[in-house]
Amino acid sequence: MTRPRYLRRVPSLSWWWLLGLAAIFLGVGLGLRDPWPADEPRFALNALEMLKTGQFWIPHRGGEPYPDKPPIFMWAMAAGIQLTGSVRLGFLLPSLLGALGTLAMVMDLSARFYGRRVAWLAGLALLSCFQFGLQARTAQIDMLVTCWITLGAYGLMRHALLGPDRRWWLIGCAGMGLGVLTKGVGFLPLLMLPIWGLLAWRGQAVRPTWRDLGLGLAVLLGVVLLWVGPMAIITSLSDNPLLTAYRDNILFKQTGERYADSWHHIKPWYYYLAEVIPWAWLPLVLALPWLVPAWWRRGKRLDARVLLPLGGLVMIIAFFSLSPGKRGVYLLPTLPLLVLAAAPMLAGLLCRPRLQWLGGGVLALFGVVFLAAGVLGAVGLPALADLAEEHGVVPWAWWSLLGLAALALLAWGRPRRGLVMLSTWLAVFWLSWSTWGYALMDHARSPRDLMAEIVDQTGSDAWLAMPDFDEEFLLQARQPMVHFGYHTPDDEQFQRAFAWLQAAPDDRWMLVPQHRDEAIACADLGRARDLGMQNSERWWLIPGTAFTACRGDAEAAPLYVAPTTLAAEPHD
């Protein structure tokens, strides 16, 4: 069978207009909030420590080596902070640029496969996907690694379907290598190789040669070795056991062991199908009853433009489903492939009355839920009032407005345009999230004000200890701060903390959640100061003089100084 010659369109002015609008849409809210848990404060702390200490090769968290992830994302965040001169402006830049790069590649392939009109629809479809919008506004590692994975898939498809083009295949392999140095799973496009081989066997794709595969694998491994090689040499030659442990952890525990025998986020095999896809792929998930038959028909025609990204999507879901440890963000790389597989059907989907009505029904549900929650919260429904007190956020007006906006869009567009109105409401949701939502939630999710209050009570020269620390507190510290190892058992941390406090009780304090009352039962809590609610917990600030009756052990745990607030070396 003769392989079809696909379109080779180049970007038009309107194509760049959409990317520009996407940059504005996704960039709204930059500089309006601090890094929030989970993950964001950790990576911001890594990046700040790189800038403060000049130690870029091995990331550190509060002075302690951080072995969970390779350094690419932390380098990117450090660059963003350095370029902007602000943590608030710079920490979200890697995710924003990763989202724009992913969007550009999806639009470019769609234009080359089907033309510029479909490329516009594909770009809008990707922008409207809920998980894409969420991760583009979140400083987690997944949006950047998705960009590298998409580059790998892009290079593979440029070579396999628009080639032969060895240059793009090798660029894609380099992208996979950068993905491995970002999160370890950058090799995911290689899961498309069996589908590529089958399509080539049927004459629908360029036949992969052993030379091309060998060169691609060499490029991928070469990029990885650019960091892994020096890191392994540095840590192996070091006399520091922490660096040796770092090497073994990141090379073995965080790769094969994390996948095959995960120790957290344990979920059943159907987790992605039942609990992630329904919200992550919204609103495209609503079109699956129409997309699946269309994919079946195109599959029978051996349409490689659909089968290759669709096969990659299925393989990625299967790959992550086989591991006992699962997180919703792991499926983010499937979104570009989903949009590419659905691209030729997008225009036809918009003409499906039942799909539009289904979208309208979901929009109506959102409108009713948000409006009801906002009104009931405003009138003081106990369950919602308790929730607001626990999290320190009062969102009733915001939620009511979102509910009214949903119902107003539905009334204006009618159910016959329900899917379009649902996508429009999601845009309203994200714009309000990035402005009003940030203003409402930042004080509750960032301990910036709490750490400033602690300085007012202790003085800026007083030292602060935090056993069982959270990264957001180290990040926002305004005074010298110590901790006792992220993975150190809690009882050992408190014994070390007691000894450290007793060495200079007049100049040292402890910050501790009030629920840890058993660990500090030996302290004179009559001297404790109630700092109130922060990050869903109540906190105590306790002077070192309150711990004279506690049994300390200076050898129980290591002592780390957070370099981002380092003023002077502590003394024992």
Side-chain angles (χ1 to χ4, degrees):
M1 186 179 295
T2 303
R3 182 170 58 87
R5 296 180 62 84
Y6 299 134
L7 299 174
R8 297 171 182 266
R9 304 276 186 176
V10 295
S12 65
L13 182 61
S14 62
W15 191 92
W16 289 108
W17 269 107
L18 180 58
L19 277 181
L21 290 173
I24 295 172
F25 174 65
L26 297 175
V28 169
L30 280 179
L32 296 184
R33 70 171 179 91
D34 291 321
W36 292 346
D39 297 339
E40 290 183 350
R42 179 182 312 135
F43 295 129
L45 191 64
N46 294 148
L48 277 179
E49 290 197 30
M50 288 178 174
L51 295 173
K52 290 272 187 178
T53 65
Q55 170 56 268
F56 286 88
W57 214 249
I58 297 176
H60 284 69
R61 169 179 52 192
E64 179 183 20
Y66 172 67
D68 288 12
K69 297 291 184 294
I72 289 282
F73 185 72
M74 286 77 95
W75 290 348
M77 190 178 288
I81 294 171
Q82 182 70 16
L83 287 172
T84 61
S86 167
V87 174
R88 280 189 158 203
L89 282 173
F91 84 99
L92 282 169
L93 283 181
S95 292
L96 173 62
L97 296 176
L100 293 175
T102 301
L103 178 66
M105 287 183 280
V106 168
M107 291 180 62
D108 183 74
L109 268 185
S110 299
R112 294 174 187 276
F113 286 165
Y114 308 108
R116 293 170 183 167
R117 179 170 177 266
V118 174
W120 255 78
L121 290 174
L124 291 172
L126 184 59
L127 275 174
S128 70
C129 287
F130 187 85
Q131 192 177 42
F132 187 84
L134 174 63
Q135 291 300 316
R137 296 170 175 84
T138 304
Q140 291 178 311
I141 209 164
D142 300 274
M143 193 72 254
L144 186 60
V145 77
T146 293
C147 181
W148 299 130
I149 290 169
T150 304
L151 177 58
Y154 177 92
L156 187 152
M157 285 187 275
R158 281 290 298 264
H159 178 53
L161 303 183
L162 298 171
D165 194 333
R166 182 179 296 161
R167 180 191 60 172
W168 272 111
W169 162 242
L170 297 180
I171 290 174
C173 290
M176 293 184 228
L178 291 171
V180 170
L181 291 182
T182 303
K183 197 176 180 179
V185 293
F187 62 86
L188 287 176
L190 295 181
L191 298 177
M192 302 166 69
L193 288 179
I195 300 99
W196 177 12
L198 289 173
L199 290 169
W201 177 58
R202 297 300 299 271
Q204 300 301 304
V206 171
R207 187 178 298 276
T209 66
W210 289 111
R211 180 188 179 191
D212 286 345
L213 295 177
L215 282 173
L217 185 60
V219 168
L220 192 162
L221 293 176
V223 170
V224 172
L225 286 173
L226 288 176
W227 175 75
V228 170
M231 181 276 295
I233 294 172
I234 292 169
T235 54
S236 298
L237 296 179
S238 171
D239 294 330
N240 188 342
L242 290 177
L243 294 183
T244 304
Y246 170 88
R247 178 201 63 201
D248 296 341
N249 196 324
I250 199 162
L251 290 182
F252 305 110
K253 184 175 181 180
Q254 298 298 330
T255 52
E257 183 179 344
R258 189 184 188 100
Y259 177 81
D261 190 21
S262 186
W263 54 91
H264 59 175
H265 304 300
I266 305 301
K267 303 290 183 182
W269 67 267
Y270 54 82
Y271 170 69
Y272 293 116
L273 298 176
E275 300 184 38
V276 178
I277 286 176
W279 63 265
W281 288 4
L282 195 72
L284 268 181
V285 69
L286 303 177
L288 286 180
W290 291 269
L291 282 172
V292 171
W295 285 333
W296 179 258
R297 290 191 295 270
R298 286 181 174 264
K300 290 195 293 185
R301 299 202 303 265
L302 295 179
D303 188 340
R305 298 169 297 181
V306 169
L307 288 178
L308 197 49
L310 183 62
L313 178 152
V314 172
M315 295 293 283
I316 290 174
I317 295 175
F319 174 81
F320 284 122
S321 295
L322 289 173
S323 173
K326 302 175 180 67
R327 294 182 66 192
V329 291
Y330 294 174
L331 279 202
L332 184 64
T334 64
L335 281 176
L337 298 175
L338 172 68
V339 171
L340 284 170
M345 284 75 81
L346 291 174
L349 290 173
L350 294 176
C351 301
R352 296 281 184 176
R354 292 183 181 178
L355 178 56
Q356 295 287 355
W357 276 81
L358 180 59
V362 172
L363 181 58
L365 177 63
F366 284 157
V368 170
V369 169
F370 272 99
L371 183 58
V375 171
L376 292 174
V379 301
L381 184 71
L384 291 174
D386 292 343
L387 188 66
E389 181 180 2
E390 178 184 352
H391 293 281
V393 178
V394 183
W396 316 134
W398 177 35
W399 287 3
S400 298
L401 182 64
L402 285 172
L404 290 172
L407 298 177
L409 284 170
L410 189 60
W412 176 56
R414 306 294 183 183
R416 67 176 179 271
R417 288 190 290 179
L419 188 66
V420 176
M421 293 300 103
L422 174 59
S423 299
T424 304
W425 180 81
L426 286 172
V428 172
F429 172 84
W430 287 123
L431 290 173
S432 69
W433 169 276
S434 302
T435 50
W436 195 349
Y438 284 2
L440 282 174
M441 295 184 290
D442 192 51
H443 76 280
R445 303 198 66 183
S446 167
R448 180 184 64 254
D449 295 339
L450 178 71
M451 301 309 286
E453 180 184 346
I454 291 175
V455 168
D456 290 340
Q457 296 194 32
T458 66
S460 59
D461 293 331
W463 283 82
L464 186 65
M466 190 176 188
D468 192 22
F469 77 96
D470 289 329
E471 292 97 346
E472 61 266 27
F473 292 87
L474 263 63
L475 179 67
Q476 298 295 340
R478 300 294 185 267
Q479 63 198 105
M481 198 164 178
V482 299
H483 69 93
F484 310 98
Y486 189 80
H487 294 290
T488 305
D490 289 352
D491 59 337
E492 297 176 15
Q493 289 196 44
F494 278 97
Q495 290 177 36
R496 181 67 179 95
F498 296 153
W500 180 81
L501 290 162
Q502 291 163 359
D506 294 330
D507 301 319
R508 297 179 179 180
W509 300 70
M510 179 188 286
L511 177 64
V512 62
Q514 293 187 13
H515 76 266
R516 303 305 300 267
D517 52 350
E518 292 185 4
I520 55 173
C522 58
D524 180 5
L525 296 183
R527 300 187 184 187
R529 304 181 186 183
D530 189 348
L531 297 178
M533 185 72 71
Q534 181 65 55
N535 290 55
S536 302
E537 291 189 286
R538 297 194 68 88
W539 293 86
W540 269 327
L541 177 65
I542 310 175
T545 53
F547 293 93
T548 55
C550 296
R551 184 177 64 85
D553 182 357
E555 304 298 325
L559 177 72
Y560 296 100
V561 179
T564 50
T565 57
L566 183 58
E569 289 297 329
H571 53 279
D572 283 332

